Amino acid sequence: MKYMARGQVKIFKLTGGRVGSTWRMGAGFRKPVPTLLLEHRGRKSGRRFTTPLLYLRDGDDLVIVGSQGGLPKHPQWFFNLTSHPETRVHLKGHPNQPVRARVATPAERAELWPRLVDLYADFASYQAWTDREIPVVILTRPDQPGKLGDSEGE
């Protein structure tokens, strides 16, 4: 998975998201899911990382999920975002969009989770496989209200 993710990041960046902006594996095979690239800074190392993630549009915000395939621990990017919430995402045709990350409140998560499972059914399986509550993270524009990128083609 690590090497596939690296390849997806390179292809996504080279093509401006024309290739690599949808996930077509698992539940996404028949119903492709939009993908973004999330930049995050290591909370210990300070290094920059880029991770491809599925996302849901919620009004002007983007919503991502720390599922890590149902593994027992949250993904590293989640811990990195909680330490450094100001970051950037790359969307199809819209690179370097500044965002601020925050963990969804319990009420927000309850509202978003069914929509996320509808977007990508495997999220329900991942939650069933682990004892941890899979975190939901909301990405908002830090500077002004308005959509992140353009919703066409995403």
Side-chain angles (χ1 to χ4, degrees):
M1 278 306 250
K2 185 179 186 178
Y3 297 109
M4 283 178 44
R6 285 183 187 164
Q8 184 177 0
V9 168
K10 285 182 183 180
I11 291 169
F12 189 112
K13 285 184 175 182
L14 281 172
T15 66
R18 286 187 315 278
V19 178
S21 64
T22 55
W23 180 251
R24 298 175 187 271
M25 303 285 284
F29 183 73
R30 293 189 193 274
K31 185 180 170 187
V33 183
T35 306
L36 58 74
L37 299 183
L38 173 73
E39 290 185 8
H40 50 102
R41 183 176 301 281
R43 68 188 189 287
K44 295 178 185 176
S45 69
R47 282 184 44 211
R48 283 235 170 247
F49 299 93
T50 304
T51 302
L53 295 170
L54 309 181
Y55 75 93
L56 169 75
R57 234 181 229 288
D58 183 43
D60 294 338
D61 300 333
L62 305 174
V63 181
I64 55 177
V65 178
S67 65
Q68 192 151 307
L71 292 175
K73 294 183 180 178
H74 295 328
Q76 288 301 312
W77 64 257
F78 175 78
F79 297 112
N80 292 344
L81 284 183
T82 58
S83 293
H84 303 286
E86 301 287 337
T87 191
R88 294 184 174 279
V89 294
H90 303 268
L91 302 167
K92 181 180 179 181
H94 299 279
N96 298 312
Q97 298 285 310
V99 295
R100 179 168 181 78
R102 67 177 179 80
V103 178
T105 66
E108 289 170 324
R109 186 186 188 285
E111 187 271 323
L112 290 166
W113 188 254
R115 292 175 53 206
L116 289 161
V117 169
D118 183 56
L119 177 76
Y120 187 66
D122 288 350
F123 285 146
S125 299
Y126 300 160
Q127 185 60 77
W129 296 341
T130 186
D131 292 331
R132 69 184 172 92
E133 182 175 80
I134 292 176
V136 171
V137 176
I138 299 172
L139 305 173
T140 59
R141 288 183 68 107
D143 54 351
Q144 60 190 359
K147 283 192 175 178
L148 288 162
D150 176 14
S151 61
E152 277 191 70
E154 293 178 52

